[in-house]
Amino acid sequence: RQNHLVAVQLVQQKACGLFKFSAKIVIHLHPAPENKEPGPYQHSKYSYIELSFKEHGQIEFYRRLTEEMTQKRWENTPVSQPIPTGPKAGRTRAVGIVGIERKLEEKRKETDKNISEAFEDLSKLMEKAKEMVELSKSIANKIKDKQGDITEDETIRFKSYLLSMGIANPVTRETHGSGTQYHIQLAKQLGDMLQAPLEERGGMMALTEVYCLVNRARGMELLSPEDLVNACKMFESLKLPLRLRVFDSGVMVVQLQSHSEEEMIASALDNVSDKGSLTAEEFAKLLGLSVLLAKERLLLAEKMGHLCRDDSVEGLRFYPNLF
Amino acid sequence: MSFEWPWQYNFPPFFTLQPNVDTRQKQLAAWCSLVLSYCRHQKLYTLDVLEAQESPVFNNKKIERKLSVEAIQVVFEELRKKGNLEWLDKNKSRCLIMWRRPEEWGKLIYQWVSKNGMVNSVFTLYELANGDDTEKEEFHGLEDWMLLRSLQALQAEGKAEIITMDDGKGVKFF
C-alpha cells in the first residue's frame, strides 16, 4: 500500500499576510499516477493543496513534513503482502461499495499497526508487569497453602506490599468484618503513629486528616481509604487507646480514648457564653481546630441542650441555651 | 399601656426553629404565650397569616430577625392543639385567636351576672357585650362569635339558656 506522501513534489511555507489571518502551507503534488484509487474528486484543476493553520502548528507541521520528505521513510517499509482476496485475479481496483468497505478495512489495519508500533515500549512493560502479577499470585497462593519457609512477619509485610501495589490478595479480603491480620497490624501501627498528632490537635482528628497524615508519612506503600477505615474499626477490639467515631452528619473522626466528651462540651459552652455567641468559623479560630470539627463540637453541644442556634441571612450562630 | 415584650423576643435564637426537641418545646411554649398575650393586649380576635408575618410579634426589626412562614405555621398548629386557635378556612390563611377560651369567658360573664344579682334576667347579646353597664368588664367589646361560644359553654353547664328573639339572640342566666 503506498504512502500518500509519494505524491508530494514540493512543500512551501506561506506566511500570513496583512489581510490573511492564518499561516498557510502549500503542498505541490505530482500528477496522479494512473493506478491511483479514486478519491473524493475525480479531477482537479489545481496541482497543489493549501493547508491553513488558524491558530498554531504550522511551524511544527512544516518541520515534520519536510523531515518525512527527506527521509522518505515509506521507501524503507517493506512492501506488504498482497491481501488475499476471493477471486484469484490479484489486487484489482475494486469499485462500488465493496471497494469502499475494503479500503476502510485496510485503513483500519494500518491504523492498528501504527498504534501498536507507537505503544511497543509500553506493551513490553505491561508484559513484565503481568509476569510480576503472576509471580505475586503464585507466592500468595503458596502463603495460603503454607508452603515454603516464610515467617509470619514476612507474610504480613509481603501482603502489605501486594496491597500497596493494588493487587487484590484473596487471602486477606475477608468480608465478614472479623478483621484480618493485615488490618490488625495496621491498626496497631496507627495506634502508635497517631498518639502525638492527636494530642497536638486536642485529642481529635477527622479521618480525612488521618488519611493524609499517614500516607504522607508512608511515602510509598500508600493506604487505601478502605483499609484505613477497616483498621480504625478495630481499635476498640484491640484495646488500643484510640476510637473511630461517626457523627450524626456522617463525619468520621479518630479520637483519643482519654478524650472526654463532657469536658469538650463544657468548655465549648464556656467559650460561647464568654463571647455571647459564636459561629463555627469563630470557634475554630479560637481553638485552633478545623472548621469541620469545630462545627461538630457545637452541634453536639446543641444536641445535649447546652446551646441553641440562630439561623439567619447572616449565617449560623450558636448561643447558650437560655430557653 | 404599651406591650411588654418577654426576654425571648430580643434573643435571636427565638426566631429560629430549634432542632433540639426539648429546646423546641420550650421555644414553642414561649411563642404561644407571646402570641396570646399580644392578641389580648391588642384585643385581636382574628389573625391573617400573611399579615402576621409583618406584624411586630413575628418580626423584630430591632434585632433584624423574623420568624419564617414555616415556623409561624408550627406555632399556629401548636396553638390549635391547645385549643386557642381555630382555622377559618381550609387554606389556613385566617384564624380565630382565643386568648381566652370560651369556658373562661363564660365564667367571667356569669361572675358579673351573679355579682350584680341579675340571675334570672334576660339580656340581649348586644347589651352584654356593648352595653353601658358592662363597660368596665373585660368581656366588654367581645366579638359576637366569641360571646356566643362563651354562652354556649355556660349553656352546656346549665347556667344559661340562649333564646332567639325578634331582633337577635338573647340569654337568660340561671
Side-chain angles (χ1 to χ4, degrees):
Chain A
R1 173 152 166 73
Q2 286 195 327
N3 188 305
H4 290 301
L5 289 179
V6 167
V8 176
Q9 185 188 55
L10 174 67
V11 181
Q12 272 184 332
Q13 256 191 332
K14 224 165 147 181
C16 47
L18 267 181
F19 295 108
K20 295 190 197 150
F21 295 105
S22 46
K24 290 191 173 43
I25 288 181
V26 185
I27 303 179
H28 294 271
L29 304 166
H30 290 297
E34 280 200 3
N35 62 346
K36 180 181 157 325
E37 283 165 15
Y41 291 99
Q42 289 291 80
H43 302 287
S44 172
K45 62 179 177 173
Y46 298 107
S47 65
Y48 64 89
I49 50 176
E50 256 189 31
L51 300 172
S52 174
F53 293 81
K54 275 217 155 48
E55 300 239 322
H56 305 285
Q58 70 274 20
I59 296 166
E60 186 68 14
F61 185 82
Y62 182 71
R63 188 177 69 75
R64 284 185 187 235
L65 189 54
T66 44
E67 221 174 81
E68 281 295 315
M69 291 302 301
T70 34
Q71 287 181 17
K72 284 196 163 50
R73 267 205 350 201
W74 59 86
E75 282 178 6
N76 292 335
T77 317
V79 178
S80 50
Q81 295 296 323
I83 298 159
T85 51
K88 294 257 176 173
R91 278 204 60 203
T92 48
R93 191 169 55 157
V95 291
I97 292 182
V98 176
I100 293 172
E101 279 185 342
R102 197 173 290 158
K103 258 191 38 168
L104 284 171
E105 175 67 17
E106 282 171 22
K107 193 166 177 117
R108 193 191 60 76
K109 285 195 186 142
E110 174 99 20
T111 311
D112 263 336
K113 186 154 145 279
N114 291 338
I115 289 173
S116 313
E117 278 172 20
F119 280 95
E120 238 174 53
D121 291 335
L122 267 180
S123 57
K124 289 209 174 74
L125 177 66
M126 274 164 64
E127 266 182 46
K128 287 286 168 215
K130 200 170 164 190
E131 285 171 29
M132 280 288 297
V133 171
E134 291 301 328
L135 183 64
S136 323
K137 277 198 183 144
S138 79
I139 295 180
N141 284 327
K142 287 211 178 93
I143 292 173
K144 189 168 152 195
D145 299 338
K146 287 193 170 50
Q147 288 170 17
D149 297 300
I150 310 182
T151 67
E152 176 92 5
D153 262 323
E154 281 172 336
T155 310
I156 291 162
R157 258 204 300 155
F158 185 74
K159 279 192 206 159
S160 73
Y161 293 148
L162 286 181
L163 279 161
S164 66
M165 277 203 288
I167 295 163
N169 185 334
V171 181
T172 58
R173 281 281 172 265
E174 277 153 26
T175 51
H176 301 304
S178 54
T180 67
Q181 271 303 311
Y182 171 60
H183 289 132
I184 290 172
Q185 287 301 104
L186 187 54
K188 289 184 186 162
Q189 195 182 56
L190 287 171
D192 281 332
M193 194 189 217
L194 294 173
Q195 278 282 353
L198 278 172
E199 271 162 29
E200 270 171 43
R201 286 164 178 71
M204 192 188 280
M205 275 170 78
L207 198 60
T208 47
E209 290 173 69
V210 172
Y211 177 81
C212 293
L213 199 76
V214 166
N215 275 330
R216 225 176 280 143
R218 286 166 75 104
M220 289 298 283
E221 307 159 16
L222 300 183
L223 278 182
S224 73
E226 200 181 55
D227 285 329
L228 180 62
V229 174
N230 287 335
C232 288
K233 283 184 181 160
M234 304 187 72
F235 285 150
E236 193 153 354
S237 59
L238 291 175
K239 302 219 185 329
L240 292 166
L242 271 67
R243 290 286 174 276
L244 177 68
R245 184 174 167 184
V246 185
F247 285 112
D248 293 336
S249 55
V251 170
M252 293 169 103
V253 298
V254 172
Q255 64 180 61
L256 286 172
Q257 203 200 359
S258 58
H259 168 109
S260 155
E261 205 53 55
E262 295 78 28
E263 265 179 47
M264 291 295 128
I265 292 178
S267 86
L269 179 58
D270 284 337
N271 290 122
V272 174
S273 306
D274 207 29
K275 301 269 186 235
S277 72
L278 285 175
T279 63
E281 289 80 14
E282 290 165 358
F283 188 51
K285 213 186 245 177
L286 201 65
L287 256 58
L289 280 179
S290 68
V291 178
L292 185 71
L293 289 185
K295 185 151 186 204
E296 288 302 329
R297 198 169 287 178
L298 290 172
L299 287 174
L300 201 59
E302 180 191 45
K303 194 169 159 187
M304 302 274 110
H306 298 289
L307 295 178
C308 59
R309 65 168 65 187
D310 165 38
D311 205 350
S312 69
V313 290
E314 294 167 21
L316 182 61
R317 281 193 163 269
F318 288 89
Y319 285 75
N321 186 0
L322 300 177
F323 284 113
Chain B
M1 192 177 76
S2 69
F3 185 67
E4 263 181 48
W5 298 101
W7 69 265
Q8 291 98 331
Y9 185 67
N10 289 305
F11 186 46
F14 193 48
F15 292 84
T16 303
L17 199 56
Q18 296 298 317
N20 179 314
V21 175
D22 296 324
T23 315
R24 181 185 290 206
Q25 267 179 1
K26 297 200 194 123
Q27 180 192 24
L28 286 177
W31 268 112
C32 288
S33 159
L34 171 57
V35 170
L36 292 177
S37 47
Y38 184 77
C39 288
R40 172 193 265 133
H41 187 263
Q42 307 287 95
K43 293 239 189 246
L44 294 173
Y45 297 96
T46 57
L47 282 181
D48 180 290
V49 177
L50 288 174
E51 281 173 21
Q53 274 178 65
E54 298 308 314
S55 141
V57 184
F58 297 116
N59 193 340
N60 185 341
K61 295 217 161 86
K62 196 172 84 172
I63 61 167
E64 290 175 329
R65 293 284 185 277
K66 61 202 264 191
L67 210 55
S68 68
V69 181
E70 296 81 29
I72 294 177
Q73 290 284 4
V74 174
V75 173
F76 280 5
E77 176 58 17
E78 203 56 34
L79 283 167
R80 190 196 65 78
K81 279 195 251 179
K82 285 162 131 188
N84 295 106
L85 185 148
E86 222 176 81
W87 288 110
L88 284 171
D89 63 331
K90 246 188 242 164
N91 299 328
K92 297 196 181 174
S93 63
R94 279 185 72 79
C95 60
L96 298 175
I97 283 283
M98 294 174 273
W99 36 270
R100 198 169 252 150
R101 287 188 354 264
E103 295 76 17
E104 291 164 338
W105 282 121
K107 199 163 152 198
L108 275 180
I109 294 170
Y110 192 79
Q111 272 175 6
W112 176 80
V113 166
S114 61
K115 197 171 75 172
N116 288 295
M118 299 210 202
V119 176
N120 281 314
S121 324
V122 176
F123 294 85
T124 63
L125 295 200
Y126 183 80
E127 272 182 295
L128 269 182
N130 302 98
D132 295 331
D133 292 337
T134 66
E135 229 180 273
K136 291 214 176 70
E137 298 309 308
E138 277 188 64
F139 57 81
H140 187 88
L142 196 59
E143 285 185 6
D144 271 352
W145 61 269
M146 184 45 119
L147 181 57
L148 196 55
R149 285 193 197 199
S150 326
L151 297 174
Q152 281 165 348
L154 279 177
Q155 186 167 255
E157 288 172 42
K159 292 193 171 147
E161 194 189 318
I162 300 169
I163 330 165
T164 319
M165 306 188 304
D166 297 328
D167 51 350
K169 286 194 166 49
V171 61
K172 182 171 179 184
F173 294 96
F174 302 118

